Amino acid sequence: QVQVVESGGGLVQAGGSLRLACVASGNIFIINTINTMGWYRQAPGKQRDLVALITSDGTTNYADSVKGRFTISRDNAKNKVYLQMNSLKAEDTAVYYCNAARPPSVDYWGKGTLVTVSS
């Protein structure tokens, strides 16, 4: 199987920056079939929403609310994905989850890392 583990969350003041990291480990044959990796977030009392995705060829997709502030990147050789978050706002406060997806429709989720932005 595959395990997904996030790191890098914490408390930051509004306007500050954080970098999240996620690594997928486990069955190498399954990991090699992972196409898309991404970040989602869930604020208290709200649903889990997409933040950013990146495919194995580097194609990215961002939620409108983070465009221009967040950057997703990926190291395929190390099965890692990163989320650089700049100009953080109080509304970015949430638990951030890493997702690794392989076709046709298999998802692996991490347990999440908490990001708290103080205003």
Side-chain angles (χ1 to χ4, degrees):
Q1 275 295 347
V2 174
Q3 295 79 43
V4 175
V5 179
E6 307 95 340
S7 61
L11 174 65
V12 64
Q13 288 188 333
S17 299
L18 277 177
R19 188 188 192 217
L20 305 183
C22 167
V23 60
S25 62
N27 188 309
I28 190 63
F29 296 105
I30 297 177
I31 288 176
N32 286 341
T33 65
I34 290 173
N35 180 26
T36 303
M37 297 188 75
W39 292 93
Y40 292 73
R41 66 186 180 187
Q42 188 168 17
K46 297 189 176 181
Q47 66 181 18
R48 189 177 299 187
D49 291 325
L50 169 69
V51 176
L53 291 175
I54 185 167
T55 65
S56 56
D57 65 0
T59 301
T60 59
N61 185 32
Y62 294 92
D64 288 343
S65 60
V66 307
K67 284 180 180 177
R69 300 189 298 123
F70 291 10
T71 302
I72 190 170
S73 59
R74 182 169 175 174
D75 184 338
N76 287 325
K78 297 181 179 179
N79 306 313
K80 288 185 174 180
V81 64
Y82 304 94
L83 186 69
Q84 178 66 42
M85 305 185 293
N86 298 329
S87 302
L88 283 160
K89 305 175 182 179
E91 51 263 44
D92 294 318
T93 294
V95 178
Y96 284 70
Y97 296 91
C98 180
N99 171 272
R102 65 181 182 93
S105 58
V106 180
D107 288 288
Y108 302 96
W109 291 93
K111 294 182 178 181
T113 185
L114 177 63
V115 172
T116 303
V117 183
S118 62
S119 56

